[in-house]
Amino acid sequence: MDFLSLSVLPYLLLYKYTTLFLITFLAALALPLPSAPSLMAASAFAGQGYLKISWVILVATLGNISGDLLGYFIARQFGKPILYKLGLRKVLDSKNFISIEKYLQKYPTSIVFVSRVQVQATMAVNILAGLGKLPLYKFLPAIIFGELVQVLFYAGIGYWFSSNWQALYALVNQFSWGILLIIILAILVFWKPLLRRLRTAQ
């Protein structure tokens, strides 16, 4: 939060929506920028009358979606050739990886929605969607729905609890890491049965 206070908030106050768009866009591309706390800060400023909450929600949603799409297209066009050159052909062509790609093809909305819990998970799913060439008509509605819900969640906290948004963000961040940990543990426990089911269905 010190980084946010010292480096981001002044620009957010000075350049407003432009700063918010750039932060959300670049964070969606996996750059280490504080997207969620910046959104909550902007929403808190809106609650205090400095910004308009409708524009905060719109700009943050567009920034997230734009970053998701660029990451998806980069992975789709250049991901596998680059990874092949790095010696990962066996991993990408393995039955397990192909099963993951097909599972994402089958349940794109639910997987993309759950991945919005954490930036790291968001980036991973965007890359997997691109590598697996998930059709755009499936990927786009999924990220629109997921990002809109995520933005409304963080914006709502920042707007309605503007004076205490930093403390609430700390709690929400811990909660989101807990959800991600549960998801990882569930995958580890049910990984082999899930792969068997996917292979049987193919």
Side-chain angles (χ1 to χ4, degrees):
M1 199 62 68
D2 288 338
F3 172 79
L4 176 68
S5 301
L6 295 175
S7 303
V8 176
L9 290 185
Y11 290 98
L12 194 57
L13 285 169
L14 185 60
Y15 299 108
K16 301 179 181 179
Y17 307 110
T18 302
T19 299
L20 180 62
F21 178 84
L22 288 174
I23 290 174
T24 53
F25 171 74
L26 294 173
L29 282 173
L31 270 70
L33 294 173
S35 176
S38 296
L39 171 57
M40 292 178 68
S43 301
F45 294 151
Q48 297 165 6
Y50 294 107
L51 300 172
K52 292 185 178 180
I53 188 63
S54 57
W55 279 102
V56 168
I57 292 171
L58 177 62
V59 169
T61 302
L62 289 176
N64 282 339
I65 292 173
S66 299
D68 289 341
L69 285 174
L70 183 57
Y72 161 82
F73 281 118
I74 290 174
R76 185 184 177 101
Q77 292 296 119
F78 309 107
K80 283 195 174 181
I82 292 175
L83 293 175
Y84 282 156
K85 290 181 180 179
L86 293 175
L88 297 176
R89 179 179 292 273
K90 289 185 178 180
V91 175
L92 296 175
D93 293 343
S94 66
K95 291 182 178 180
N96 289 349
F97 193 84
I98 293 173
S99 296
I100 293 172
E101 291 180 336
K102 291 190 175 183
Y103 191 75
L104 181 57
Q105 294 269 358
K106 191 173 183 181
Y107 305 105
T109 302
S110 57
I111 294 174
V112 170
F113 178 77
V114 172
S115 73
R116 304 304 103 165
V117 172
Q118 271 291 340
V119 174
Q120 291 80 3
T122 298
M123 175 196 66
V125 170
N126 291 344
I127 292 174
L128 284 173
L131 291 175
K133 297 189 182 301
L134 179 70
L136 183 61
Y137 72 86
K138 289 184 177 182
F139 183 68
L140 185 58
I143 62 171
I144 290 175
F145 173 66
E147 296 296 3
L148 183 58
V149 171
Q150 182 198 54
V151 167
L152 288 173
F153 176 71
Y154 285 112
I157 293 176
Y159 185 78
W160 294 110
F161 302 96
S162 56
S163 60
N164 298 312
W165 72 268
Q166 290 182 325
L168 286 171
Y169 173 74
L171 292 175
V172 170
N173 193 44
Q174 291 178 0
F175 179 71
S176 64
W177 275 111
I179 293 177
L180 185 61
L181 179 61
I182 291 173
I183 293 172
I184 292 173
L185 290 175
I187 291 173
L188 292 175
V189 171
F190 298 106
W191 181 248
K192 290 184 178 179
L194 178 61
L195 286 177
R196 282 198 295 267
R197 287 179 59 186
L198 288 173
R199 290 170 182 171
T200 302
Q202 292 174 12

